[in-house]
Amino acid sequence: MALSRHHAAMNRPLSVQELVAQAQDFEFSTNRPLQQWIRASKMLLTEAAICEQDGNLQMAYLYLYRHAELVLDRMPHHPDYKDPRYRDDLAQARKALQRNLQKLEQWKPRITQDYERYLTALERRAAERHRILHEHEEAGRRQSADSLGRRRSTVSDDGTLDDGSQTLRANEHSQLAVDLAHREIRRRDATRQSTKEVGISPGTVASRRRGIVVGPADPSELINEPSQSDGVREAGRLLRRQDGRQVPTSQRVANRDASAQTFHYPAVPNKEEAIDWKMPAMQPSYARSPTGPPPLLPAKPKHDGLAPPIPQRPSASVPLTPPTASPSPPAPQPAVPSKYTFKPTAFTESGAPLRTVMLPPDLRTSFLNLANPNTLRNFETCGILCGTLISNALFINHLIIPDQTSTSDTCDTTEEGDNALFDYCDSHELLVCGWIHTHPTQSCFLSSRDLHTSSGYQVMLPEAIAIVCAPRQNPDWGIFRLTDPPGLEAVLNCHQKGLFHPHAENHLYTDALRPGHVVEGPGLKFEVVDLRL
């Protein structure tokens, strides 16, 4: 999915109507396999769980609502929706929906209260300014800028609440970002370990958090349960109440499940009803990163001449070292206070903000160590970049090597590899932030098939990246993302069937590191997980 194109001052409370409108604002393409959208729905639940843990209910609300929108409204239009292969996954998605819509109802008053408090603060500030100006006019004197600055206000000049939090740029405070990530990751690991010690598996915890009810019944029986249609119908009723308006008959959506139930879906606010506030920077996206397995990795053609020129990177003489391992989790610590928020430092070509992706500088070297046996034989190797969301930045803290088959021009994950990757990400609440792969015999570029693979990641997480390592070439590595526009839209709408094919559009991808939204964080720890069988 692609996130809303709108952005505004960070930390400003949003109304329920604004959150609903933004949750509904994403691109859905039936050209993508249904399995990818199912993975996207699970990624939304992971992002919502992380935001809920951090106390960011408004973003948790947005992700859960978007999950409901995807499951109830978008996926039923996919041509493979009734394929028996996806029956169990869709049944679980609806079960999660029923449970999580209750959370939306519970969070709505809190979100409304925060937004009304924000409006009241704005009114008080306006009244205070008016009083000061009136006093100055009466006294016939002018207030100095310093004096005005000493007057406290509950709202800052950029429209955000003065709650004591600090907004920083991760590229200017990389060490602070790394320290913050280490502390929060240790806390989460310790919490997970404590849960494990009392006999609850991480997978069960993740399922419960996502609202998936795990019972003795076969999941395939969920659709046929007598209460299933009633539960999903109730979910639709709860959902349409979230923005406080009744939905016109023309906007009713039919066939939400196998029994062809009809559901009423909330309308996007009318223009005349919309509040005149800019939309916030997405603190991510959609599913802009799945907990499930990534798209199949493609074969590579010889350079097709369509790749943009890649600037020369300074060569780095980094000795090959064993993969970095995460330390053992200490005793549980309190959650990191939301004192810092890392604001986006890069934007898409359409102006949409991209959250910062913090990348361990040593990750590439560790990957090349693991890939070296294949590289010596001119075989490709691929890995998956996974991480977590902390203070509005994505921290890559896992390099996962799935089971795969390789040749000199291809690298494909196996079905067993996909399943193992999905299980690991789900149990560890990891977001898939992109992929890394080698070009042992070719230059550093994204082939036409690489573009399609990367679009599968970016459609679910706009910040997702592709790292290409070409050990025998110069430059020998690069970090890329599809442009938006034209790259992401062009590739998503590409109907060409050939394994390798040219694209008519130019400038389909760009460097994500220099300049871009990727920041290398020296000292950022990561774990290497080799799942190859």
Side-chain angles (χ1 to χ4, degrees), residues 219 258 303 369 398 403 443 461 464:
H303 199 303
N369 268 341
H398 279 74
D403 188 49
S443 59
L461 186 77

Side-chain angles (χ1 to χ4, degrees), residues 232-428:
V232 178
R233 186 186 301 110
E234 175 62 18
R237 285 197 293 267
L238 285 173
L239 188 60
R240 76 170 181 269
R241 290 206 303 267
Q242 297 302 314
D243 63 356
R245 286 190 296 280
Q246 194 69 20
V247 179
T249 303
S250 61
Q251 290 188 275
R252 294 178 181 175
V253 184
N255 298 324
R256 285 299 181 267
D257 60 7
S259 58
Q261 293 293 330
T262 298
F263 301 98
H264 304 265
Y265 215 75
V268 176
N270 296 327
K271 291 183 178 180
E272 62 271 16
E273 297 174 343
I275 300 175
D276 190 17
W277 302 112
K278 293 180 180 179
M279 286 295 182
M282 285 308 276
Q283 303 182 15
S285 136
Y286 294 52
R288 288 179 154 195
S289 156
T291 55
L296 291 179
L297 299 173
K300 308 280 186 317
K302 297 302 180 183
H303 199 303
D304 51 20
L306 297 178
I310 301 175
Q312 181 76 25
R313 292 188 184 278
S315 59
S317 299
V318 182
L320 295 181
T321 56
T324 304
S326 297
S328 300
Q333 302 178 29
V336 175
S338 55
K339 184 178 181 182
Y340 301 106
T341 299
F342 296 105
K343 61 183 177 181
T345 56
F347 300 83
T348 67
E349 289 67 24
S350 65
L354 291 169
R355 292 169 298 177
T356 299
V357 174
M358 296 294 295
L359 176 70
D362 297 334
L363 183 144
R364 180 172 54 92
T365 301
S366 294
F367 172 69
L368 288 173
N369 268 341
L370 291 169
N372 190 53
N374 278 350
T375 302
L376 293 176
R377 295 185 297 161
N378 289 335
F379 284 0
E380 290 193 0
T381 308
C382 69
I384 309 301
L385 307 173
C386 299
T388 190
L389 178 65
I390 300 173
S391 297
N392 197 42
L394 293 160
F395 292 82
I396 294 176
N397 61 351
H398 279 74
L399 167 62
I400 302 179
I401 312 296
D403 188 49
Q404 55 197 268
T405 58
S406 301
T407 69
S408 59
D409 296 314
T410 65
C411 184
D412 299 301
T413 57
T414 65
E415 182 177 355
E416 294 81 3
D418 282 343
N419 293 335
L421 174 65
F422 171 83
D423 291 341
Y424 189 89
C425 290
D426 186 58
S427 63
H428 290 76

